[in-house]
Amino acid sequence: MENMVNRLRPLAAAAFLLGPALYLAAEAITAAAWKSPSYSYADNWISDLGSATAGVFQGRELDSPLHVVMNSGFIVQGILFGIATVLLSRTISGRSRTFTAVTGVVTMIGYILVGTFHGSLQAQQNGTLPLHFTGATLAIVGGNVLALVLGIHWRKSPETRLIGLISIVVGAFGLVSVVALFLTFGAGLPSGAIERGSVYTIVIWQLAVASTLLVSRANSRAPRAAATGASATTASTSN
């Protein structure tokens, strides 16, 4: 069992590292291509980058020439998040295992919906806008709730206390940001920045968990390497 867990850790870590890297790269590339008007990380929502049609939506002027890149980033991030959390669940015991796998898959579905159905005036007119908002809710709430719940679980063990604390902080901050986004919508505040407070927490959590998994993998290999070296020394001495 321990051998299987050790094999799963680097795979989960790789998926948790690759997803955010591709997602942030897609966001940066798509935002840079948005020239008229220029994209604002403070005022524009992230999903504005995925809008396939230009025009005014919710008071924001949308024109994203590389929307395919952003939507691909959403979908790839979601798929890798789902893979990583299912792998991660196999390293966890008890009811948290099922919760991790199910919540991870729900979050993945959310990202895929966001990348498939866009937030735009056209989506509002053709009736697909609710699918976009459903996806955004599943992805953002799902990712932050998973971080918070696993953080509470990990805080119980000395070995995972640090990642538990980090998970609780980012998960709670992300959920507070979601509430703040809805309460302040249309109030003239930088809604894009507030939204990112609920999305980037998931990215931070992924990277933190990946680092923890890699360190845990390295630490688990060290005693075996030391034991192998000691055995070899003993055998050599006896000869």
Side-chain angles (χ1 to χ4, degrees), residues 80-140:
L80 289 173
F81 189 94
I83 292 172
T85 48
V86 169
L87 292 173
L88 178 66
S89 71
R90 304 306 299 172
T91 70
I92 302 171
S93 59
R95 288 178 296 179
S96 296
R97 168 178 289 189
T98 302
F99 177 82
T100 299
V102 172
T103 308
V105 170
V106 168
T107 303
M108 175 187 71
I109 293 171
Y111 273 110
I112 292 174
L113 286 175
V114 169
T116 305
F117 301 99
H118 317 130
S120 64
L121 182 60
Q122 183 186 44
Q124 189 173 37
Q125 293 170 343
N126 64 25
T128 61
L129 187 60
L131 290 173
H132 173 79
F133 285 128
T134 297
T137 301
L138 292 178
I140 295 174

Side-chain angles (χ1 to χ4, degrees), residues 27-28 30-50 60-64 70 192 195-196 200:
E27 184 179 354
T30 309
W34 190 327
K35 300 299 184 183
S36 179
S38 60
Y39 182 82
S40 170
Y41 273 75
D43 297 319
N44 281 104
W45 290 31
I46 300 173
S47 57
D48 290 350
L49 294 169
R60 305 184 303 276
E61 189 171 344
L62 311 185
D63 186 8
S64 183
M70 187 70 255
E195 181 197 28
R196 284 175 166 81
Y200 287 175

Side-chain angles (χ1 to χ4, degrees), residues 106-238:
V106 168
T107 303
M108 175 187 71
I109 293 171
Y111 273 110
I112 292 174
L113 286 175
V114 169
T116 305
F117 301 99
H118 317 130
S120 64
L121 182 60
Q122 183 186 44
Q124 189 173 37
Q125 293 170 343
N126 64 25
T128 61
L129 187 60
L131 290 173
H132 173 79
F133 285 128
T134 297
T137 301
L138 292 178
I140 295 174
V141 175
N144 284 295
V145 166
L146 180 58
L148 179 60
V149 172
L150 281 182
I152 294 172
H153 172 74
W154 284 331
R155 279 281 291 166
K156 299 175 182 177
S157 174
E159 293 80 10
T160 56
R161 188 157 293 160
L162 178 59
I163 185 59
L165 178 59
I166 294 172
S167 299
I168 291 172
V169 171
V170 297
F173 186 88
L175 292 174
V176 169
S177 296
V178 172
V179 175
L181 179 64
F182 284 105
L183 292 180
T184 61
F185 181 72
L189 296 177
S191 57
I194 298 173
E195 181 197 28
R196 284 175 166 81
S198 66
V199 175
Y200 287 175
T201 49
I202 300 173
V203 170
I204 293 170
W205 181 73
Q206 289 174 268
L207 297 175
V209 172
S211 300
T212 301
L213 289 171
L214 293 175
V215 170
S216 176
R217 164 73 170 175
N219 289 341
S220 67
R221 291 173 63 91
R224 290 202 302 272
T228 302
S231 299
T233 301
T234 302
S236 176
T237 303
S238 62

